[in-house]
Amino acid sequence: MKFAINMLGGLAGALILNIIHESAKKLFKEAPEIDKVGQEAIKKTSRTVGITPPTGKKLYATTLLSDLASNTMYYSAIGKGDSQGLFWRGAGYGLTAGLGAIGLTKPLGLNDAPINKSMVSKILTVAWYTLGGIVAASAIKLLDMKNDHVVGRNN
């Protein structure tokens, strides 16, 4: 049951992160465009393993689903360990992911311009990944509390 709770919490954080990224890039030009980095990664990975990469809407959808899956798994790890440090762990995981997004893109051979185009873009990237981690931690906490109540613990 704990695995499912952690995965659902991770999904909550990943959904918030993707919704914010996708909404903000339509609203203002300074917004980071993490999907462009993801699309480049999908293309390079596909070619490396000898498959023709998707294009157009299929590439976009593949990128969003890949982001959602990888961020869900990453954020689900927040639920490991005791519940005392859950929110700090969520913030720490999110902060680490955001810093990784702005700092590791170029060393990984990807174009970092879509997320490092300005200081505002960098700050928003880190802030949004951190928010995703906090949302994941909050969801895990709520689901843990609900599970404890349903199975009769901590009444």
Side-chain angles (χ1 to χ4, degrees):
M1 184 58 130
K2 183 62 175 164
F3 175 78
I5 287 171
N6 290 347
M7 289 302 286
L8 287 171
L11 178 60
L15 283 170
I16 282 295
L17 177 62
N18 277 16
I19 289 168
I20 291 170
H21 270 130
E22 290 304 301
S23 300
K25 73 179 188 179
K26 293 173 184 168
L27 297 175
F28 62 103
K29 68 177 185 165
E30 294 289 328
E33 298 172 290
I34 197 75
D35 61 301
K36 288 185 179 178
V37 176
Q39 288 177 29
E40 182 184 4
I42 295 284
K43 288 180 198 175
K44 284 187 173 190
T45 303
S46 296
R47 289 183 188 117
T48 299
V49 297
I51 357 178
T52 302
T55 59
K57 290 181 180 180
K58 285 184 180 180
L59 175 60
Y60 179 74
T62 301
T63 301
L64 286 182
L65 288 174
S66 296
D67 282 348
L68 193 60
S70 61
N71 287 322
T72 294
M73 291 189 308
Y74 178 77
Y75 284 142
S76 73
I78 293 167
K80 297 283 186 184
D82 65 34
S83 62
Q84 287 298 123
L86 191 62
F87 292 105
W88 286 111
R89 208 164 37 251
Y93 270 63
L95 178 65
T96 301
L99 291 172
I102 64 170
L104 294 175
T105 308
K106 196 170 204 158
L108 290 172
L110 300 169
N111 178 8
D112 68 342
I115 54 175
N116 286 330
K117 55 187 165 189
S118 71
M119 185 55 71
V120 169
S121 298
K122 292 176 186 181
I123 291 168
L124 291 174
T125 297
V126 173
W128 293 344
Y129 275 96
T130 303
L131 178 62
I134 292 169
V135 167
S138 299
I140 291 166
K141 180 71 171 173
L142 288 171
L143 291 167
D144 271 341
M145 289 170 47
K146 180 72 173 169
N147 184 52
D148 286 348
H149 178 73
V150 168
V151 296
R153 293 184 291 215
N154 297 333
N155 283 344

